[in-house]
Amino acid sequence: MKKIIALCMSVVLLCGCACSKDTDSGTGVEDSSIEITSSDEITTIDNVVETEIEEVTTRETTTQEIVTKESTTENTTTENTTTENTTEESTSKVVETTTQQKTTEKKTTAKTTKKPEVTTEQETTTYYKVDETGKTPYEAHGKLQVKGTKLVDQFGTPYQLKGTSTHGMAWFPQYVSYDTFKYMRDSFGVNVVRLAMYTAEYNGYCEGGDKNYLKNLVKQGVQAATDLGLYVIIDWHILADQTPHKYKGDAIDFFREMSSTYKNYDNVIYEICNEPNGNTSWADIKAYANEVIPVIRANDKDAIIIVGTPTWSQDVDLASKDKITGYDNIMYALHFYAATHKDWLRDKAQKAMKNGCALFVSEFSICDASGNGGLDKTEANKWMEFLNKNKISYVGWNISNKAESSALIQSWCGKTSGFDDSELTEWAKWFRSIIKK
């Protein structure tokens, strides 16, 4: 076939005319002056044509091979895509099933759990490992009690709670969540969270706030902490109202409901008056405590109860001279801000312990007492040495992105968990390093 084609092409070349372009004039002219004068030239042309035909044939064959490869590749890609789609569908179904199972477990826990426990082996492996067994804080230490001036666990061993407090829940409700608390447990290593419910300021519980909404927020926080195996403090956060007597009736109703709801939750702690201040004396606070504590004890016989002390919970030495009697598991609140409160407040704490008071630092930070200003890490390290030496529990203020030195999250960060170091404040990074020591 190639020879026939070559012969035909030779004949064409012999009989035809060539057309060329006159480069000088720019016009096309016919040129009939080309002549083939020998058979050698015909043979040469024949060979050239045959060679060109072979090259074309080779290119066509190569093209067919490429097309075949591309087709094969497309088929392989289609098969891979099908496999990926099948895998994605399977993964989606597994995730959906796992999510549904976890949701069901949470709902069941919320309705039936009397004590915080982990329900599946898979969940246990993701928890912050407090010891070689990988148990959660509550699993490892169980029900707490006060023995002398120390908080001890279910084995009678002194145990320090180390955690973080929310800011006012009405203002920063987004951080009262399972994900936020899980991050604090797993990243910081906290074993307790504190739920700060303001009673007065800016639509606080007793001054225009939505009581049902705030109570449900507290319950949401308790359940999240319980699901994570954490201890949790329900804080009646008096501040602007100064004296706990101002809203004593509301406090009694609130703690009656909470203690009834959580009477079988051994991880729940009650803080009945955050920071009494102004002209509120220890006698005033003690009288209030003697009305609220029996309400809690009517439902929960032995939960830990933290009682605030005068002057924003600093005058623990005054409380130690006239302790609350007739009840077990009572502790006294000591609050400090390292840039303001120094040796003199540690001296008060030392006197209180000498007089038999069990102290609990339910709020502190390392800036000044306003919750703002510069950080005093030197004084903060002295406080940590003091607290650790005496096995005093402590809770850092606060989980929020408020634009102040005592917030743990940068003000520009909108996330509620999974924070990068750049999204944490300097105080947060210092605090995390202290808890994990």
Side-chain angles (χ1 to χ4, degrees), residues 242-246 248 272-273 276-292 307-310 322 324:
Q242 297 188 330
T243 172
H245 285 278
K246 184 173 183 178
K248 181 177 64 178
I272 63 174
C273 53
N277 59 85
N279 294 320
T280 305
S281 66
W282 171 243
D284 295 330
I285 299 167
K286 185 179 179 182
Y288 163 83
N290 279 327
E291 291 190 65
V292 175
V307 182
T309 55
D322 184 21
I324 295 168

Side-chain angles (χ1 to χ4, degrees), residues 14 82 132 146 149 167 184 201 207 262 300 323 342:
L14 288 168
T82 303
E132 66 278 4
V146 176
T149 61
H167 204 298
M184 296 307 302
E201 292 90 332
E207 295 189 4
Y262 299 115
D300 196 330
K323 296 188 293 294
K342 304 180 185 293

Side-chain angles (χ1 to χ4, degrees), residues 18 46 86 103 106 163 325 374:
D46 183 44
T86 303
T103 302
K106 280 190 181 182
T325 58

Side-chain angles (χ1 to χ4, degrees), residues 163-169 171-172 184 194-198 235 237 239 271 274-275 335-337 361-372 375 394-400 402 404-409 425 427-428 431:
T164 49
S165 176
T166 68
H167 204 298
M169 293 190 303
W171 315 323
F172 298 97
M184 296 307 302
R194 178 183 186 236
L195 307 175
M197 189 187 72
Y198 277 75
D235 166 34
H237 202 87
L239 189 62
E271 184 172 4
N274 165 57
E275 288 184 352
H335 292 182
F336 71 85
Y337 283 76
V361 176
S362 54
E363 181 180 317
F364 87 100
S365 189
I366 64 174
C367 57
D368 65 42
S370 70
N372 216 340
L375 306 183
Y394 55 83
V395 175
W397 179 265
N398 65 82
I399 309 172
S400 82
K402 186 177 179 182
E404 63 181 13
S405 303
S406 59
L408 295 171
I409 305 164
T425 62
W427 146 237
F431 188 43

Side-chain angles (χ1 to χ4, degrees), residues 100-114 117 119 223 227 265:
Q100 289 175 349
Q101 181 180 0
K102 194 166 185 180
T103 302
T104 301
E105 288 171 357
K106 280 190 181 182
K107 288 181 179 177
T108 302
T109 302
K111 290 181 179 179
T112 63
T113 297
K114 291 187 177 181
E117 58 186 30
T119 56
Q223 195 58 52
D227 290 341
Y265 282 55

Side-chain angles (χ1 to χ4, degrees), residues 316-422:
V316 289
D317 55 330
L318 298 181
S320 72
K321 295 176 183 178
D322 184 21
K323 296 188 293 294
I324 295 168
T325 58
Y327 306 99
D328 295 327
N329 296 331
I330 303 299
M331 303 188 79
Y332 299 83
L334 171 67
H335 292 182
F336 71 85
Y337 283 76
T340 300
H341 307 116
K342 304 180 185 293
D343 284 338
W344 59 269
L345 187 52
R346 288 191 288 275
D347 289 342
K348 281 176 170 284
Q350 196 66 59
K351 290 176 184 177
M353 288 187 292
K354 185 177 180 180
N355 289 336
C357 274
L359 303 181
F360 196 123
V361 176
S362 54
E363 181 180 317
F364 87 100
S365 189
I366 64 174
C367 57
D368 65 42
S370 70
N372 216 340
L375 306 183
D376 190 338
K377 293 181 182 178
T378 300
E379 197 64 34
N381 287 329
K382 292 180 182 178
W383 270 109
M384 287 300 110
E385 183 180 355
F386 176 80
L387 297 179
N388 292 332
K389 178 182 177 181
N390 292 287
K391 297 294 183 183
I392 298 174
S393 298
Y394 55 83
V395 175
W397 179 265
N398 65 82
I399 309 172
S400 82
N401 64 349
K402 186 177 179 182
E404 63 181 13
S405 303
S406 59
L408 295 171
I409 305 164
Q410 295 283 7
S411 59
W412 47 263
C413 178
K415 293 163 63 175
T416 56
S417 65
F419 304 102
D420 297 327
D421 275 5
S422 63

Side-chain angles (χ1 to χ4, degrees), residues 230-291:
L230 296 171
Y231 296 90
V232 56
I233 300 170
I234 298 176
D235 166 34
W236 185 257
H237 202 87
I238 72 164
L239 189 62
D241 32 350
Q242 297 188 330
T243 172
H245 285 278
K246 184 173 183 178
Y247 297 116
K248 181 177 64 178
D250 287 305
I252 288 172
D253 291 341
F254 176 80
F255 283 111
R256 179 180 288 115
E257 179 177 343
M258 293 296 147
S259 61
S260 176
T261 301
Y262 299 115
K263 60 187 176 184
N264 294 316
Y265 282 55
D266 291 337
N267 63 322
V268 174
I269 297 169
Y270 303 97
E271 184 172 4
I272 63 174
C273 53
N274 165 57
E275 288 184 352
N277 59 85
N279 294 320
T280 305
S281 66
W282 171 243
D284 295 330
I285 299 167
K286 185 179 179 182
Y288 163 83
N290 279 327
E291 291 190 65

